[in-house]
Amino acid sequence: MSDYQVSNPATGEVEATYPTATEQDIQQVIEQADSAYQDWRHISLDERSALLHKIADIYLERQDELSRIVANEMGKPVAQAKGEIGLVADIFRYYADNAEQLLAPSTIDVDSGSASVEKHPVGALLGIMPWNYPHYQVARFVAPNFMAGNTIILKHAPQCPKTAEIIVDIFKDAGVPKGVYNNIFATNEQSATIINDARVQGVSLTGSERAGQAVAKEAGGALKKVVLELGGSDAFIVAADADIEQAIQGAISGRFGNTGQACNAAKRLIVIESVYDKFVEGFTNAVSNMTLADPLKEDTFIGPMSSKAAAVNLQSQLDSAIQAGATVLVEGGMEKDKPGAWFKPAVLTDVTESMDVYREELFGPVAVVYKANDIEHAIKIANDVPFGLGASIQTQDAALAAEIADKLEVGMVTINAPSGSEANTPFGGVKRSGFGRELGTLGITEFLNYKLIRDKS
């Protein structure tokens, strides 16, 4: 049986199955991407920009339909899926409008003659994308490389094959030339074949640490550039002077949006001792009142997890923490009497360094709350994990926020709001959260040939 199938996480029913690529399919898609690159690299920025704007238009025109499909494939509530589609349109428009400036050559001061650096495409690229934001993750990789003149081979998550095919249709309907964007239902072994093919010049992966290690190993062996956006265990620091009601709302949104399945979710809530009790009371009351609901309903905030396997894994982590001595503030876990992947939100505290969960990523609706003696203690807790993606700081003191942000070992810091994503700001982390950046001015720089032109005449 193919790994590519639509298995509705709300019902547990397999609704569609898609065939895995053959070896002939793999060679054909590589040839298509490489052949298209020879022409695409010479297409004007104005023409590429017009195509990206058309893609954004189609996304917004089909927003309701696309959102329902996402809900059926991986359980995202439709209101949040519509927000994802809106962000996708913003990303395509951002690069359509700004690529000319971002790709402009730069001059270098030299003693004689002239010197400049031009920015050129490199060729066909492989993107390996996850299920949790099945349109957004693709857009943030594709849009800048599309404008740069690279072509794309896209291996989407096995849970989202219908979305994968629809993205191809959107590009086709917009008038994008054949071979510029290519979907492939590849296995992991076939992905390695693509990475090692001389016609493919780089690979970008968003996914787990394990997937990142495998892809980096293949890319390193093939001497290919790689961008990795991996896991996170983001800290959400609540200072003594924070607006507690705002902090509670931010923590709810940041931890439980997309049913907690985001790499930059607020997974660890670190609260200064003097406001800990007040924060915990409000936060746990809010979590206790959450209701799991049909992701196809417009007013649903939290639906099922993406799959039964994901729910089982999170339950194992939750059980391990409790058995090791963690305190349960809100009892949650799998709803085993219901079909699908339903998981009630849970809140833990008293998680210590001796527990596995202290340094693990909890990819789902489980929040861990820590009590910090002071700001320095909060920063220590925040940095004491192998991840370094993002963090959020809740304080009304701008100087304090700047001081904390300076000491956090992360790639992104958000002040007085949960971590998020915007088309014009870079996204990425350090440590085991990966390397490289997507979005913003940096997102278009990863797969370019910076060509020096030195005239000594």
Side-chain angles (χ1 to χ4, degrees):
M1 181 185 295
S2 170
D3 289 334
Y4 288 84
Q5 59 183 27
V6 179
S7 180
N8 191 323
T11 65
E13 296 179 0
V14 175
E15 298 182 351
T17 300
Y18 293 72
T20 302
T22 64
E23 294 308 311
Q24 183 178 355
D25 293 333
I26 298 297
Q27 292 305 313
Q28 181 179 354
V29 80
I30 296 171
E31 176 58 31
Q32 282 181 183
D34 180 58
S35 178
Y37 169 69
Q38 307 310 321
D39 293 325
W40 181 247
R41 63 187 301 186
H42 300 299
I43 298 294
S44 72
L45 285 175
D46 285 344
E47 290 178 84
R48 293 180 205 156
S49 175
L51 289 169
L52 273 197
H53 275 296
K54 181 60 176 174
I55 291 168
D57 290 341
I58 296 172
Y59 260 106
L60 294 179
E61 290 165 5
R62 300 181 67 175
Q63 190 172 35
D64 289 348
E65 172 202 359
L66 299 177
S67 299
R68 289 194 299 272
I69 291 169
V70 168
N72 280 331
E73 285 188 312
M74 53 73 60
K76 188 189 304 262
V78 288
Q80 295 173 36
K82 288 179 182 179
E84 178 181 343
I85 300 303
L87 177 56
V88 166
D90 288 346
I91 291 168
F92 282 120
R93 295 203 197 284
Y94 170 79
Y95 284 107
D97 292 339
N98 293 281
E100 183 174 6
Q101 176 187 351
L102 297 174
L103 294 170
S106 58
T107 58
I108 302 171
D109 290 333
V110 289
D111 292 337
S112 63
S114 65
S116 63
V117 175
E118 297 178 350
K119 300 169 185 174
H120 293 268
V122 294
L125 305 173
L126 172 63
I128 302 174
M129 296 296 126
W131 48 263
N132 58 335
Y133 291 90
H135 287 284
Y136 156 72
Q137 303 279 10
V138 171
R140 71 184 195 182
F141 166 60
V142 171
N145 286 299
F146 184 104
M147 288 304 298
N150 298 314
T151 56
I152 303 298
I153 300 168
L154 203 292
K155 178 196 179 300
H156 216 314
Q159 289 162 270
C160 302
K162 192 167 185 179
T163 290
E165 288 197 331
I166 284 176
I167 295 172
V168 173
D169 291 341
I170 290 172
F171 275 69
K172 182 179 179 180
D173 292 347
V176 175
K178 183 179 179 180
V180 172
Y181 180 87
N182 308 272
N183 177 69
I184 189 74
F185 292 141
T187 65
N188 291 339
E189 292 76 17
Q190 290 170 330
S191 295
T193 297
I194 298 171
I195 292 170
N196 282 279
D197 193 287
R199 293 166 290 182
V200 175
Q201 302 305 311
V203 56
S204 179
L205 172 131
T206 298
S208 66
E209 287 180 86
R210 182 179 176 182
Q213 288 172 322
V215 167
K217 182 178 180 179
E218 290 293 339
L223 296 179
K224 302 288 178 69
K225 172 71 180 289
V226 60
V227 169
L228 299 178
E229 299 286 359
L230 308 178
S233 189
D234 286 15
F236 185 95
I237 298 174
V238 182
D241 71 329
D243 180 326
I244 297 300
E245 291 305 316
Q246 176 181 299
I248 290 169
Q249 291 306 310
I252 293 293
S253 173
R255 173 63 284 208
F256 297 108
N258 201 27
T259 317
Q261 299 166 120
C263 53
N264 62 331
K267 299 186 177 78
R268 297 177 299 135
L269 313 178
I270 304 171
V271 187
I272 299 302
E273 187 174 20
S274 61
V275 293
Y276 178 86
D277 289 342
K278 182 178 181 181
F279 176 88
V280 166
E281 180 182 8
F283 180 73
T284 55
N285 283 341
V287 176
S288 297
N289 289 324
M290 282 184 180
T291 302
L292 302 180
D294 183 350
L296 291 172
K297 292 184 177 179
E298 290 285 344
D299 60 350
T300 295
F301 173 65
I302 186 165
M305 291 186 65
S306 64
S307 68
K308 191 69 168 286
V312 168
N313 182 66
L314 185 64
Q315 184 67 56
S316 176
Q317 290 177 292
L318 178 61
D319 291 342
S320 173
I322 294 170
Q323 291 167 8
T327 299
V328 179
L329 295 179
V330 176
E331 187 174 353
M334 289 181 63
E335 296 200 333
K336 298 178 181 178
D337 59 335
K338 293 177 64 175
W342 298 93
F343 197 106
K344 291 180 65 176
V347 181
L348 300 177
T349 192
D350 297 323
V351 170
T352 65
E353 296 179 34
S354 64
M355 301 178 189
D356 291 341
V357 75
Y358 182 83
R359 292 184 176 85
E360 290 178 341
E361 179 180 26
L362 294 169
F363 209 71
V366 177
V368 180
V369 187
Y370 294 86
K371 183 189 292 186
N373 301 330
D374 52 30
I375 289 297
E376 289 302 319
H377 187 208
I379 293 169
K380 181 181 182 299
I381 296 171
N383 288 336
D384 194 21
V385 291
F387 302 102
L389 188 55
S392 179
I393 304 166
Q394 315 302 305
T395 177
Q396 300 177 69
D397 185 335
L400 178 62
E403 177 187 345
I404 298 171
D406 182 63
K407 295 177 180 179
L408 291 172
E409 297 168 356
V410 297
M412 305 175 288
V413 178
T414 305
I415 298 167
N416 289 325
S419 297
S421 186
E422 299 168 279
N424 60 346
T425 59
F427 188 104
V430 295
K431 296 162 55 172
R432 293 187 70 84
S433 290
F435 39 80
R437 291 295 183 271
E438 293 183 305
L439 298 177
T441 59
L442 300 181
I444 204 167
T445 66
E446 293 290 353
F447 295 102
L448 292 176
N449 172 16
Y450 293 88
K451 184 182 293 184
L452 171 67
I453 308 297
R454 180 72 167 99
D455 186 348
K456 293 190 176 184
S457 60

